Amino acid sequence: MEKRTFVVEGMACEHCKESVEKALKGLKGVKCAEADLKGKCVMVEYEPTEVEPRQMYEAVDEAGFCMTA
């Protein structure tokens, strides 16, 4: 397992936070995703052999937010 924190732009409320977490948790290989509204970031625990950061970026983008390293 690997843990990384990514910056997320566009989160403004609890619903936004939940949308980002749901988008990431829906990916195979993501064990945990915890977004922080105040810190404008998300901590993701994932299995790098099953999911790549690129896939996470795409999932968050599809949810309407922008995630960067």
Side-chain angles (χ1 to χ4, degrees):
M1 281 292 168
E2 188 170 324
K3 282 186 183 179
R4 281 187 64 184
T5 301
F6 301 93
V7 174
V8 180
E9 295 177 24
M11 288 192 302
C13 65
E14 192 65 30
H15 182 270
C16 296
K17 175 185 178 290
E18 291 170 5
S19 294
V20 169
E21 291 173 345
K22 183 178 178 183
L24 291 166
K25 289 176 183 176
L27 296 172
K28 183 180 181 208
V30 173
K31 180 182 177 187
C32 177
E34 295 180 19
D36 178 1
L37 277 176
K38 227 175 181 181
K40 299 184 192 271
C41 64
V42 64
M43 187 284 299
V44 184
E45 186 173 350
Y46 65 99
E47 184 57 59
T49 59
E50 294 182 25
V51 64
E52 298 175 0
R54 174 188 52 80
Q55 294 165 290
M56 293 183 237
Y57 295 137
E58 290 171 0
V60 171
D61 185 60
E62 287 177 20
F65 305 92
C66 180
M67 186 170 87
T68 59

